[in-house]
Amino acid sequence: MSEIMAEEKYKFEQNFSFTPLLNKTPSFLQNKASLELLMKWSMLGRISVQYYSFDQSFYPYNSRNFALMFFKDPQVVSNLRKMTAGAWVPLDSPLLCVDVEVVPCSRVSMDLLDPIYYCRQILSPSGNVVKCFHDLYPDYDELRRALQEEESEHYDVIGREERGEFLFRVFKHLCLGGELCQYEDTIAPYAQLTKIIYKDLISVQKDPQSMGISVVSTVLKVCAQDETGSCYPGRGDEEQTFAYLIVDPFKRHVCLFYHCYGVGSFTL
């Protein structure tokens, strides 16, 4: 019993070290079609993925400690950048704590979005997004209403549990876009890029007996704070400014998926 307790204590007190994987880049940030969509949605140049390896076994119950060590690691600090006033800058003050939300991530197919496809008040039979009147946004549609507004009669088309899934969050982030987003008339581009990004970032494994596929990654939504409050991914409270740590416990890799909401002035 004492050996088990000692082992658990050791796991809890692990000290992780991180090494940047500077030559690793996700496919969606290399593919021309994906980059064109990100530019159209005012996200190009404001969205990034950084990869790191780490040297200890990762346990999901220790996620908060893992995230704190990540943001305090000298190798991470020297490579980490955030977007401020349209420019990438280093963190400018010591971090005191990191808020961590463990994000459900269990989906291995896009069927989570099926209820949206079947709702004719959101999408027409041809797949076109249904337009609607909005007091503040003249170019508004029922898809964004269903994603954002709880008072929308179509908000419950996607259940609360499904809305928490990382796959849905990626889809929603893309649909909402950046500050000067040129929105799509159909759902297909959003769904297609969601699938590509999800496949890039998430690791899966196949059960040799059942041949079923399951997700092995742990996804953590993170927000770091300094003495003045939230400082990473940004100082404001903007839903489209986000940072996720995505941990592959078998490869001992972690990627930082980041976006800062604002005016995207980047070209291909």
Side-chain angles (χ1 to χ4, degrees):
M1 179 68 71
S2 60
E3 291 181 357
I4 295 176
M5 293 178 63
E7 181 181 359
E8 292 300 317
K9 182 179 180 181
Y10 169 75
K11 291 176 182 177
F12 184 79
E13 294 180 348
Q14 282 175 291
N15 292 312
F16 293 91
S17 294
F18 298 86
T19 302
L21 302 175
L22 300 178
N23 294 324
K24 187 173 173 63
T25 305
S27 69
F28 79 91
L29 289 179
Q30 303 178 72
N31 178 274
K32 183 179 179 181
S34 299
L35 294 175
E36 287 176 346
L37 286 175
L38 292 174
M39 182 173 64
K40 183 179 181 182
W41 302 337
S42 191
M43 301 177 82
L44 185 63
R46 291 181 163 271
I47 195 167
S48 70
V49 177
Q50 289 184 314
Y51 291 91
Y52 297 82
S53 63
F54 54 91
D55 61 345
Q56 302 288 335
S57 296
F58 170 81
Y59 301 93
Y61 69 81
N62 203 15
S63 296
R64 193 172 302 276
N65 187 53
F66 178 88
L68 180 60
M69 290 186 176
F70 176 83
F71 281 101
K72 289 194 171 185
D73 184 273
Q75 289 271 37
V76 175
V77 171
S78 64
N79 284 275
L80 196 63
R81 297 291 183 270
K82 66 176 182 177
M83 177 75 63
T84 300
W88 290 97
V89 299
L91 294 180
D92 52 5
S93 56
L95 301 181
L96 300 180
C97 66
V98 180
D99 293 331
V100 178
E101 175 193 353
V102 179
V103 176
C105 186
S106 62
R107 298 298 179 130
V108 293
S109 75
M110 297 291 289
D111 60 3
L112 179 148
L113 301 180
D114 284 353
I116 294 178
Y117 282 91
Y118 298 146
C119 181
R120 290 293 168 252
Q121 289 73 40
I122 298 177
L123 298 180
S124 70
S126 64
N128 287 330
V129 179
V130 177
K131 301 295 183 180
C132 64
F133 175 78
H134 196 282
D135 292 335
L136 297 179
Y137 308 106
D139 183 24
Y140 207 54
D141 57 61
E142 293 292 352
L143 175 59
R144 279 179 283 156
R145 280 198 69 215
L147 293 177
Q148 290 180 285
E149 301 177 6
E150 292 190 32
E151 62 271 22
S152 167
E153 56 269 36
H154 313 306
Y155 184 84
D156 293 333
V157 165
I158 298 293
R160 185 173 300 277
E161 182 177 334
E162 287 74 18
R163 283 178 173 273
E165 284 280 336
F166 182 61
L167 175 62
F168 181 82
R169 295 186 188 214
V170 174
F171 174 74
K172 181 178 178 180
H173 285 314
L174 295 182
C175 289
L176 300 184
E179 188 171 347
L180 297 180
C181 181
Q182 301 175 57
Y183 298 102
E184 299 294 328
D185 293 325
T186 68
I187 194 174
Y190 300 127
Q192 290 166 0
L193 190 52
T194 296
K195 184 176 182 179
I196 293 170
I197 292 176
Y198 192 72
K199 187 176 181 180
D200 275 344
L201 301 183
I202 298 300
S203 299
V204 299
Q205 68 178 5
K206 178 181 289 186
D207 187 296
Q209 295 181 337
S210 68
M211 302 302 290
I213 303 295
S214 61
V215 175
V216 299
S217 299
T218 295
V219 180
L220 310 173
K221 187 175 183 180
V222 292
C223 177
Q225 299 184 17
D226 59 17
E227 60 183 6
T228 63
S230 297
C231 64
Y232 188 92
R235 293 202 175 274
D237 185 19
E238 166 56 56
E239 184 178 15
Q240 286 296 88
T241 296
F242 57 79
Y244 297 94
L245 287 177
I246 304 164
V247 186
D248 183 328
F250 297 115
K251 292 182 180 179
R252 291 187 178 178
H253 286 179
V254 56
C255 71
L256 177 62
F257 179 42
Y258 172 96
H259 176 257
C260 179
Y261 180 82
V263 178
S265 58
F266 297 85
T267 59
L268 297 178

